[in-house]
Amino acid sequence: MTRLFNDPAAFADEALEGFALAHRRWVRPVSGGVVRSVPAAAGQVAVVIGGGSGHYPAFSGLVGPGLAHGAAVGNVFASPSARQIRTVAKSAHTGGGVLLMYGNYAGDVLHFGQAAEQLNAEGVETRCVAVSDDISSAAVGDLDKRRGIAGDLPVFKAAAAAAEEGRSLAEVVRVARHANARTRSFGIAFGGCTLPGADHPLFTVPEGRMAVGLGIHGEPGIGEREVPSADEAAELLVSSLLAELPEGVAEARGQRAAVILNGLGNVKYEELFVVYRQVAQLLTEAGVETVDPEVGELVTSFDMAGVSLTLCWLDEELETLWTAGADTPAYRKGDALASAGPADAAEQTDEAAEALPESTDASRTAARTAVAALTAIRDTVDENAEELGRIDAVAGDGDHGIGMRRGSEAAHRAAVAAAGAGAGAGTTVGAAADAWSDRAGGTSGALWGVLLHAVAAALGDTDKPGARTVSDGVGEASAAVRRLGGAEVGDKTMVDVLVPFAETLATATAEGEALAPAWDRAATAAEAAAKATADLVPRLGRARPHVERSLGTPDAGAHSLALIVRAVHGVLAAPAGH
């Protein structure tokens, strides 16, 4: 378990601060992450990697010559926000475009995708590649649904080495996709990890058993079996990967592969070496020649007791890139010289705040109601954060309560500041949306940012919003969340609550009901829908591989949304002046 921390909510930020102070030779801090201390040469493609905290040396420890140009780092097991990613990317960019790389998780896909859209709109050519190497997370026919685990390293390395050679953005993207297509990983665990401030691990394995096919966010494995000997563990790892060869690799014999035996945080290096001796022997017997193998902690999961094996099947191009030099705080190979560029040690700051749009008295009054609603949301989330984390941990990574608490607190602070400065309702709620997305990270952070922005657009800064205005905003929020996240009713997500809530609110306001009773009616529908998600199986997200575990437990995002809309009703129904 994590023993040394201050405020658990500040753990990720404080860890990043300490990392940057300890590794000034390689990195300098920027808002949301780190970039190389010496910028790359003008015109070089900037490879920016990222994801949640809790995986060191991924992601910040892989920044330096020969590897990443920058890393955006989010909260524990939660993706960085689009703003953080954009800031890191702009700090790393030297004119050759940006390649954003991350594991294939919903929150990362959403936030990095949004950042790419924003960077392209600003004239910074940007592309995205998600790593999807974990064979246990989806079938061969659904390669695009697989999550990224320790295969991050060879894929990041190939792309970064190609960028270091001066290749174009299109070429670097091609290399990254090619490396990803030829990389496969599989893992086992003997116990789950414990997040800072938590008093129990995210999952447990019965004595004498191990989880098979685990993720790196504390997700439980897809199955269990008896704890093997070191040689038996090696046999399981190797045989699982040799049973699925990538397209273009007809047979293992005669092939060359980059090999990574990765410790997940609580397996000693000596244990890894014992396992690796058998891994190496089994690969040799299969006719596979290992190239520059890596044994150690490369993509961790706090203190998870487990290991994973990665094979990147090399061709001539990938082997050259895999063996190229790199010099980062946590990963060094051969000779890697920092590209010449003007150093700038000054820490980058957030983008300058924009002037407030003009607003009317009516809208400023509505802004105060919005602040009261966000106060109720913050308090409700705080009261239920532990339970939300418990529900999420049944088949996910257990961070929903943490993320929702960070997001709602940041949204409340931003709304108070905006309303206090004289902002109208739309600007106030919009500020809350940006802050929620930025601080919460993860899938829920992205979705709540989109949801609140849709409501903010409907409220505006001039008119007094009526029941139909609010209902229209909620309806657009429902549509926007579905567009961004790709979920529909029945997928066991917050959409299962958001859609009936929006539809019931629209019906009630169309029938002439005032906002408070209409909202009450919609909140009741939301509560029933949230309860009903216990009978659904997940079809999207990290819980998808764990359908059996998920049955009988409501979706955490759906449950939190139902709690929130009921809390907001309390504000709307309160007598004027209260």
Side-chain angles (χ1 to χ4, degrees):
M1 64 183 295
T2 308
R3 296 176 175 83
L4 296 174
F5 56 88
N6 298 308
D7 177 359
F11 182 86
D13 294 336
E14 293 179 350
L16 184 63
E17 180 183 356
F19 165 79
L21 289 170
H23 295 101
R24 290 175 174 172
R25 170 185 157 191
W26 291 277
V27 301
R28 62 182 175 89
V30 297
S31 178
V34 294
V35 297
R36 292 185 189 180
S37 56
V38 178
Q44 186 177 118
V45 173
V47 175
V48 174
I49 63 176
S53 297
H55 304 302
Y56 190 84
F59 296 90
S60 54
L62 303 179
V63 174
L67 242 165
H69 296 73
V73 183
N75 189 32
V76 176
F77 292 171
S79 68
S81 69
R83 185 197 62 80
Q84 291 172 311
I85 297 162
R86 189 174 69 250
T87 301
V88 173
K90 290 171 75 172
S91 299
H93 181 237
T94 61
V98 174
L99 173 58
L100 302 177
M101 303 186 71
Y102 44 89
N104 190 31
Y105 297 90
D108 294 294
V109 171
L110 294 175
H111 284 289
F112 279 90
Q114 287 179 330
E117 290 179 359
Q118 294 163 359
L119 288 164
N120 281 311
E122 295 175 13
V124 179
E125 188 177 6
T126 305
R127 299 290 181 269
C128 294
V129 172
V131 181
S132 52
D133 57 300
D134 180 16
I135 67 171
S136 70
S137 55
V140 175
D142 290 318
L143 295 178
D144 61 329
K145 294 181 180 179
R146 289 181 168 177
R147 59 196 172 195
I149 51 175
D152 283 355
L153 177 60
V155 181
F156 293 168
K157 177 72 168 56
E164 209 77 58
E165 290 179 352
R167 300 196 201 185
S168 68
L169 178 58
E171 263 295 288
V172 174
V173 169
R174 181 194 64 78
V175 165
R177 290 174 176 164
H178 179 50
N180 185 56
R182 294 176 71 95
T183 301
R184 299 288 188 273
S185 299
F186 185 74
I188 58 176
F190 313 102
C193 58
T194 304
L195 302 186
D199 58 5
H200 59 274
L202 292 177
F203 73 89
T204 58
V205 182
E207 187 71 26
R209 306 281 290 176
M210 72 174 181
V212 177
L214 63 136
I216 57 167
H217 296 92
E219 307 99 323
I222 60 173
E224 288 182 5
R225 62 175 64 188
E226 291 184 3
V227 172
S229 66
D231 284 358
E232 289 168 343
E235 168 64 31
L236 173 62
L237 294 169
V238 172
S239 63
S240 298
L241 294 183
L242 293 185
E244 185 193 309
L245 300 178
E247 185 176 352
V249 180
E251 62 176 359
R253 187 162 300 277
Q255 299 294 327
R256 294 167 66 82
V259 181
I260 299 171
L261 184 63
N262 176 60
L264 285 156
N266 201 19
V267 175
K268 301 299 292 182
Y269 271 68
E270 287 85 350
E271 295 175 89
L272 293 174
F273 292 135
V274 171
V275 174
Y276 184 73
R277 52 173 280 285
Q278 182 68 1
V279 167
Q281 180 176 326
L282 291 170
L283 289 174
T284 298
E285 291 173 356
V288 178
E289 185 173 350
T290 62
V291 179
D292 278 9
E294 296 287 345
V295 180
E297 293 184 348
L298 295 158
V299 181
T300 62
S301 183
F302 267 112
D303 61 337
M304 184 185 289
V307 299
S308 64
L309 180 66
T310 297
L311 298 180
C312 178
W313 298 92
L314 302 172
D315 54 18
E316 184 176 350
E317 177 183 41
L318 290 178
E319 182 166 344
T320 298
L321 299 172
W322 172 244
T323 57
D327 184 19
T328 76
Y331 183 85
R332 295 162 207 167
K333 176 184 289 186
D335 296 322
L337 299 176
S339 302
D344 177 10
E347 179 173 347
Q348 302 295 307
T349 58
D350 295 345
E351 297 164 21
E354 297 179 1
L356 290 176
E358 292 185 6
S359 61
T360 63
D361 288 340
S363 186
R364 288 192 290 272
T365 298
R368 290 193 288 273
T369 301
V371 169
L374 286 159
T375 302
I377 290 172
R378 178 202 62 186
D379 293 345
T380 297
V381 168
D382 187 62
E383 291 168 7
N384 292 276
E386 185 174 344
E387 175 66 6
L388 293 176
R390 185 197 66 78
I391 293 172
D392 189 38
V394 170
D397 57 14
D399 70 343
H400 186 68
I402 295 172
M404 290 291 288
R405 176 181 276 158
R406 283 170 61 100
S408 60
E409 288 176 348
H412 176 259
R413 287 194 300 269
V416 168
T427 296
T428 296
V429 176
D434 287 336
W436 192 313
S437 176
D438 187 37
R439 291 298 293 165
T443 306
S444 66
L447 297 180
W448 272 95
V450 167
L451 188 158
L452 291 174
H453 265 303
V455 173
L459 295 178
D461 289 321
T462 55
D463 299 328
K464 177 182 179 181
R468 292 295 295 273
T469 302
V470 174
S471 176
D472 289 346
V474 171
E476 177 51 36
S478 175
V481 165
R482 281 177 284 162
R483 283 196 302 270
L484 179 64
E488 294 295 341
V489 172
D491 287 341
K492 195 163 187 172
T493 70
M494 69 182 296
V495 167
D496 289 296
V497 169
L498 183 56
V499 168
F501 174 76
E503 290 178 347
T504 304
L505 185 63
T507 299
T509 54
E511 292 172 356
E513 284 193 40
L515 182 57
W519 194 281
D520 181 29
R521 184 168 151 189
T524 300
E527 290 163 338
K531 184 177 180 180
T533 61
D535 299 325
L536 298 176
V537 294
R539 298 194 297 226
L540 292 174
R542 295 178 189 167
R544 183 178 53 80
H546 307 289
V547 292
E548 295 84 2
R549 294 176 184 266
S550 178
L551 270 175
T553 302
D555 177 70
H559 183 57
S560 62
L561 177 57
L563 291 173
I564 283 171
V565 296
R566 176 54 67 192
V568 172
H569 171 254
V571 173
L572 298 176
H578 288 261

